[in-house]
Amino acid sequence: MSVRAKMWTRAEYDRLIAAGAFAPDTRVQLVQGEIVEMTPQSRAHAVAVMAVEEALRDVFQVGYTIQVQMPLALGPTAEPEPDIAVIPGHFREYRDHPTTAVLVVEVADTSLEFDRSRKAAMYAEAGILEYWILTLVDRRLEVYRDARGPAYDTRLMLGPEETVSPLAAADASVRIGSLLP
């Protein structure tokens, strides 16, 4: 007899949530078929999420929804809750969780390796055009672009004094330092 982990589908995961299988304050997400428990947020993490949200609301004022720590339905085995997702259209257009985003941002302190590996692979596989990781320890922004299969071909490392222009808003510019706590 071999032993293997149970891989969950989004439908099974959603039924677990609806049945109350998790305590209300439990922070979990479905990542590549695994139910992953996330660590509680530090104040620095929370401030960075708010700073990213504020900056991206200025950039994506019309035609997009800025979604904060809410589910994305990225295929049959993935329902992550990224720190920030920029969704095309107005939130009222979605009767179910959005299935794509033009930009996903994760703020990383203790989760950096997970965000670089498992989450990057999941977002690339789902065809997310651009993925950012704001690293609190290194105080920089990692920008991933050009998704090809389960990987991104382009990776940029930007420091606090540099700026970035999101692919979906190429005329805009965001200073990395303004995103950091």
Side-chain angles (χ1 to χ4, degrees):
M1 176 173 135
S2 67
V3 177
R4 64 184 181 118
K6 159 78 172 121
M7 300 304 286
W8 298 90
T9 66
R10 266 192 35 245
E12 292 169 324
Y13 176 69
D14 289 344
R15 282 196 298 273
L16 287 171
I17 292 170
F22 306 107
D25 60 344
T26 302
R27 296 185 66 225
V28 295
Q29 356 183 345
L30 185 64
V31 176
Q32 297 174 318
E34 292 183 40
I35 298 173
V36 179
E37 189 168 11
M38 304 307 290
T39 58
Q41 291 185 41
S42 67
R43 179 64 184 159
H45 186 280
V47 169
V49 169
M50 290 185 280
V52 172
E53 177 188 13
E54 181 179 70
L56 293 181
R57 282 195 193 283
D58 287 344
V59 170
F60 294 97
Q61 294 180 11
V62 178
Y64 297 92
T65 296
I66 307 299
Q67 187 170 280
V68 180
Q69 297 174 337
M70 293 181 192
L72 285 178
L74 299 182
T77 62
E79 192 172 296
E81 296 183 18
D83 288 318
I84 304 286
V86 180
I87 310 299
H90 191 272
F91 70 89
R92 293 195 185 275
E93 296 172 19
Y94 294 92
R95 297 185 57 76
D96 197 2
H97 298 310
T99 59
T100 193
V102 297
L103 171 63
V104 167
V105 183
E106 295 286 2
V107 175
D109 42 15
T110 60
S111 64
L112 183 55
E113 283 311 310
F114 185 74
D115 293 338
R116 281 180 178 154
S117 58
R118 299 282 303 281
K119 283 204 169 175
M122 176 182 55
Y123 294 139
E125 186 74 38
I128 302 297
L129 298 176
E130 187 168 24
Y131 172 46
W132 294 358
I133 302 173
L134 184 64
T135 66
L136 299 183
V137 174
D138 299 327
R139 299 188 56 77
R140 67 180 175 204
L141 183 71
E142 298 181 12
V143 176
Y144 296 83
R145 294 176 171 163
D146 305 318
R148 192 174 322 272
Y152 287 94
D153 284 347
T154 303
R155 178 181 174 202
L156 307 171
M157 308 293 264
L158 304 173
E161 299 306 317
E162 296 179 89
T163 60
V164 64
S165 295
L167 290 175
D171 294 339
S173 180
V174 177
R175 192 175 65 77
I176 309 314
S178 72
L179 306 177
L180 294 163

